[in-house]
């Protein structure tokens, strides 16, 4: 396992080291120390690496990730794993606003709480949150799954497209065009698979499913109040 | 953009290193606000018969000359003045309202930046690092401080338009965000007798709180009313005589993080401004919720 001291070589030094590894390298295990809440740690990785971010991270940690498994041991700032394409990002603490924003693929696991706008405009990522999510989560979420083991804040799934939301606890309010939907066997099976992947100890039968009523896809004057 | 920071020392034995802990917080937020910086520091409380004023002037060589003697003569009082470049800290036993009126009437080149028993406010255009050095922040002692690094969006880059803005005795405000109804609100407050020095939106928020507090509202009530009337994006940090308060608008687009240990409580726009504080890595860290008023007083923990 190789160690990188962020205080020593800076964010650019850390990221360029991880970007410049030769294809098929055997050096796949990395630890980043002295993170001090700096931004853009382990961004843009494009190889099957195992990266431990050892401490609290700032904004955009693990952003644009492809293939790598990144574990943030601490809390993470705004935009964690934003635009992730594949691989996995796990936060052992809480994540700030807009976690998993616009992410296309991969798995984002937040063991603690996520703040507002978790999964905003998600485009295929799977997000599993051990705690609760803040207001406007899954805003304009297009595809993928958001699993919330705790509660959801105001306006969950506002203007949602085809993403599927599972919430175990209370939903403070649903956003425009987001409704509770029937939990069919295929949904329970998918939820079970996601909880297992995320290593979350929760019973799928305790969750409810939410998704799009598909009333706002096209402008309709009768729905003007909902826009 | 803009960055805001606040630090309150629960452990009194750390008060001699307030500036040493706080200056790096301010400087870490330089990327968010390289235009100007400012801070309020609470220290050297004067007794109840005295008031401490922080003054600033664009022509300090004229403004501070014989100011103490002139004021002593005019108001029949004692005046002690300490000059720090274009700022000066003035302590007097004269009535605070009389001093304010006298300064406004006779000293148009002097701005009153803040007043109270312990607050001192310093602010200036320029990089946070330079502003901190100029006012010797790193060596400052005190109980608590709040600060601001500015990237101007709503009004000119001037010292007068820098934060913090005073909102009353020992009270001041720093703001990250922008207000959209500040022009209408400024006209309303002007009709109520609030005087503004700039076109700045944050000064309107400060003026609003001043107005509410003058009407007898508590700080909590004034902030609650502000959540209704101030339209825009904001995270506010309000310095008070014995701590600070934090408020975010209901949408909460403007970042904020808080951290607390047995020794201190801190807030910042970004965690990296807090990361260097002793014990930050194991501190209780949380994000203040939208539309909720958090206050820290000397009596207990953040609520």
């Amino acid at each position: 396992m190789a160690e990188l001291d962020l205080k020593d070589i800076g964010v650019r030094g850390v990221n360029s080291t991880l970007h410049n590894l030769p294809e098929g390298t055997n050096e796949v295990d990395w630890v980043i120390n002295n993170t001090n809440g700096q931004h853009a740690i382990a961004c843009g990785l494009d190889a099957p690496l195992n990266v431990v971010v050892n401490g609290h991270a700032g904004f955009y940690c693990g952003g644009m990730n492809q293939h790598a498994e990144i574990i943030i041991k601490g809390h993470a700032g705004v935009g964690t794993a934003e635009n992730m394409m594949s691989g996995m990002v796990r936060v052992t603490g809480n994540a700030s606003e807009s976690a998993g924003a616009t992410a296309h693929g991969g798995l984002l696991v937040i063991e603690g709480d996520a703040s507002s706008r978790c999964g905003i405009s998600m485009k295929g990522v799977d997000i599993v949150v051990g705690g609760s999510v803040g207001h406007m989560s899954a805003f304009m979420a297009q595809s993928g799954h958001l699993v919330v083991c705790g509660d959801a804040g105001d306006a969950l799934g506002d203007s949602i497209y085809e993403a599927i939301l599972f919430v175990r606890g209370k939903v403070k309010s649903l956003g425009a065009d987001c409704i509770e939907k029937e939990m069919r066997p295929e949904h329970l099976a998918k939820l079970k698979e996601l909880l297992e992947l995320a290593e979350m100890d929760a019973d799928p039968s305790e969750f409810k499913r939410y998704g799009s009523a598909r009333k706002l896809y096209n402008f309709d004057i009768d729905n003007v109040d909902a826009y | 953009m803009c960055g805001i920071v606040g630090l309150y020392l629960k452990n009194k034995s750390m008060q001699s290193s307030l500036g040493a802990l706080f200056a790096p917080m301010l400087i870490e937020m330089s990327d968010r606000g390289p235009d100007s910086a400012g801070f309020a520091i609470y220290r050297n409380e004067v007794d109840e018969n005295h008031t401490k004023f922080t003054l600033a002037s664009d022509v300090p060589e004229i403004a501070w000359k014989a100011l103490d003697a002139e004021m002593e003569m005019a108001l029949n009082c004692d005046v002690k003045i300490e000059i720090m470049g274009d700022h000066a800290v003035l302590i007097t036993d004269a009535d605070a309202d009389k001093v304010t009126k006298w300064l406004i009437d006779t000293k148009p080149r002097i701005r009153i930046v803040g007043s109270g028993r312990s607050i001192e406010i310093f602010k200036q255009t320029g990089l946070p690092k330079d502003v901190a050095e100029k006012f010797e922040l790193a060596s400052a002692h005190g109980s608590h401080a709040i600060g601001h690094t500015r990237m101007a969006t709503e009004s000119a880059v001037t010292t007068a338009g820098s934060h913090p803005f005073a909102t009353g005795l020992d009270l001041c405000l720093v703001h990250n965000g922008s207000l959209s109804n500040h022009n209408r609100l400024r006209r309303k407050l002007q009709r109520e007798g609030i005087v503004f020095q700039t076109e700045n939106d944050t000064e309107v928020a400060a003026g609003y709180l001043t107005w509410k507090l003058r009407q007898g509202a508590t700080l909590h009530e004034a902030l609650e009313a502000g959540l209704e009337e101030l339209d825009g994006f904001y995270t506010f940090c309000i310095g008070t005589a014995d701590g600070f308060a934090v408020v975010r608008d209901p949408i909460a687009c403007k970042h904020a993080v808080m951290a607390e240990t047995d020794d201190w409580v801190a807030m910042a726009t970004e965690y990296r401004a807090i990361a260097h504080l002793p014990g930050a890595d194991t501190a209780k860290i949380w994000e203040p919720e939208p539309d909720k008023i958090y206050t820290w007083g000397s009596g207990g923990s953040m609520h």
Side-chain angles (χ1 to χ4, degrees):
Chain A
M1 183 164 303
E3 298 199 15
L4 296 170
D5 188 337
L6 194 146
K7 205 172 178 182
D8 226 20
I9 59 175
V11 172
R12 196 163 288 207
V14 165
N15 288 346
S16 60
T17 304
L18 298 174
H19 293 162
N20 294 331
L21 294 167
E23 210 177 321
T25 179
N26 289 326
E27 278 189 297
V28 294
D29 295 317
W30 294 84
V31 176
I32 303 167
N33 290 319
N34 284 320
T35 53
N36 285 324
Q38 293 297 304
H39 298 336
I41 299 170
C43 268
L45 302 190
D46 190 13
L49 307 174
N50 303 312
V51 178
V52 173
V53 177
N54 201 8
H56 304 316
F59 294 9
Y60 318 126
C61 185
M64 299 178 283
N65 179 45
Q66 296 196 97
H67 309 300
E69 290 202 1
I70 300 167
I71 297 178
I72 301 163
K73 289 197 170 168
H75 302 309
V78 173
T80 301
E82 53 131 27
N83 218 64
M84 175 161 60
M85 303 303 286
S86 64
M88 204 246 319
V89 173
R90 176 182 285 273
V91 183
T92 65
N94 302 328
S96 183
E97 299 150 14
S98 306
T102 74
H104 289 243
L107 176 67
L108 169 61
V109 181
I110 297 155
E111 293 184 5
D113 297 325
S115 172
S116 58
R117 294 175 280 276
C118 179
I120 181 172
S121 200
M122 54 194 274
K123 294 180 172 69
V125 69
D126 292 324
I127 303 174
V128 181
V129 181
S132 299
V133 295
H135 64 279
M136 297 297 280
S137 287
F139 176 51
M140 295 184 82
Q142 290 154 49
S143 70
H145 301 84
L146 172 64
V147 180
V148 182
C149 298
D151 302 330
D154 268 321
L156 176 72
D158 193 277
S159 307
I160 189 172
Y161 293 87
E162 289 305 301
I164 297 171
L165 318 178
F166 299 109
V167 182
R168 183 163 66 168
K170 286 195 285 287
V171 173
K172 196 167 178 199
S173 68
L174 290 170
D177 211 33
C178 185
I179 53 169
E180 188 184 336
K181 291 184 156 184
E182 182 195 358
M183 184 80 96
R184 294 196 296 270
E186 67 266 32
H187 302 121
L188 276 171
K190 182 68 189 178
L191 176 57
K192 184 166 179 284
E193 177 198 325
L194 289 170
L195 289 166
E196 279 170 8
L197 270 174
E199 296 168 32
M200 289 287 175
D201 184 21
D203 180 353
S205 69
E206 293 174 355
F207 287 75
K208 285 179 178 168
R209 177 169 76 103
Y210 303 87
S212 176
R214 303 187 177 116
K215 293 235 170 86
L216 297 181
Y217 273 35
N218 300 299
F219 182 76
D220 181 340
I221 192 68
D222 291 337
N223 293 333
V224 75
D225 288 345
Y227 287 99
Chain B
M1 284 291 244
C2 298
I4 57 181
V5 288
L7 177 64
Y8 177 89
L9 297 175
K10 293 155 81 173
N11 181 344
K12 292 202 169 18
S13 72
M14 292 168 79
Q15 291 193 354
S16 60
S17 48
L18 177 70
L21 295 168
F22 182 75
M25 294 181 75
L26 193 73
I27 291 165
E28 187 67 37
M29 290 294 93
S30 296
D31 300 344
R32 300 193 64 93
D35 292 344
S36 0
F39 57 91
I41 193 155
Y42 292 80
R43 60 180 171 190
N44 301 336
E45 187 180 18
V46 297
D47 67 41
E48 57 200 14
N49 300 319
H50 288 79
T51 310
K52 194 200 284 191
F53 286 86
T54 311
L55 309 174
S57 175
D58 296 329
V59 284
E61 63 283 0
I62 303 168
W64 310 144
K65 198 175 166 194
L67 178 66
D68 45 356
E70 214 178 315
M71 189 185 289
E72 279 176 348
M73 188 86 82
L75 300 176
N76 190 25
C77 62
D78 285 333
V79 174
K80 205 176 83 187
I81 188 165
E82 190 186 340
I83 293 162
M84 288 183 97
D86 51 10
H87 283 51
V89 176
L90 181 149
I91 295 169
T92 176
D93 59 353
D95 177 73
D97 290 339
K98 278 187 188 154
V99 175
T100 304
K101 187 174 184 315
W102 183 78
L103 286 166
I104 290 170
D105 289 348
T106 65
K107 300 288 169 193
R109 286 168 150 176
I110 294 177
R111 295 186 301 276
I112 301 172
V113 185
S115 60
R117 285 175 58 197
S118 60
I119 193 171
E120 295 176 23
I121 297 177
F122 302 95
K123 54 186 187 176
Q124 188 66 261
T125 55
L127 283 171
K129 172 175 72 71
D130 298 336
V131 176
E133 263 169 35
K134 180 175 172 183
F135 297 113
E136 297 171 9
L137 177 58
S139 60
H141 65 96
S143 53
H144 57 295
I146 68 170
H148 184 266
T149 62
R150 183 168 187 234
M151 188 180 286
T153 57
E154 299 290 303
S155 62
V157 177
T158 60
T159 294
S162 311
H163 306 214
F165 288 97
T167 61
L169 291 176
D170 280 323
L171 284 170
C172 70
L173 173 73
V174 293
H175 170 206
N176 173 25
S178 57
L179 300 176
S180 42
N181 63 342
H182 63 98
N183 284 324
R184 184 183 58 75
L185 207 51
R186 187 184 292 107
R187 288 194 293 274
K188 172 181 161 171
L189 292 168
Q190 280 167 335
R191 285 195 294 276
E192 299 286 344
I194 303 288
V195 179
F196 293 94
Q197 295 177 349
T198 71
E199 293 297 304
N200 186 283
D201 58 334
T202 308
E203 191 185 13
V204 174
Y208 180 82
L209 295 179
T210 305
W211 175 60
K212 280 284 170 192
L213 294 164
R214 267 189 206 167
Q215 291 178 320
T218 63
L219 179 63
H220 196 91
E221 288 164 349
L223 291 172
E224 253 175 5
L227 278 167
E228 290 298 316
E229 286 219 57
L230 297 168
D231 187 16
F233 294 118
Y234 50 84
T235 295
F236 289 135
C237 183
I238 300 102
T240 69
D242 60 358
F244 60 75
V246 176
V247 191
R248 300 175 83 191
D249 72 80
I251 306 289
C253 280
K254 293 296 170 187
H255 319 302
V257 61
M258 312 205 52
E260 185 173 4
T261 69
D262 289 343
D263 289 331
W264 47 262
V265 58
M267 82 79 56
T269 307
E270 301 177 15
Y271 171 75
R272 62 182 166 129
I274 292 172
H276 68 280
L277 295 175
D281 49 348
T282 54
K284 181 190 168 208
I285 297 171
W286 75 100
E287 194 171 300
E289 286 179 28
D291 212 10
K292 187 168 167 179
I293 298 160
Y294 294 80
T295 52
W296 171 266
S298 54
S301 66
M302 181 68 71
H303 54 276

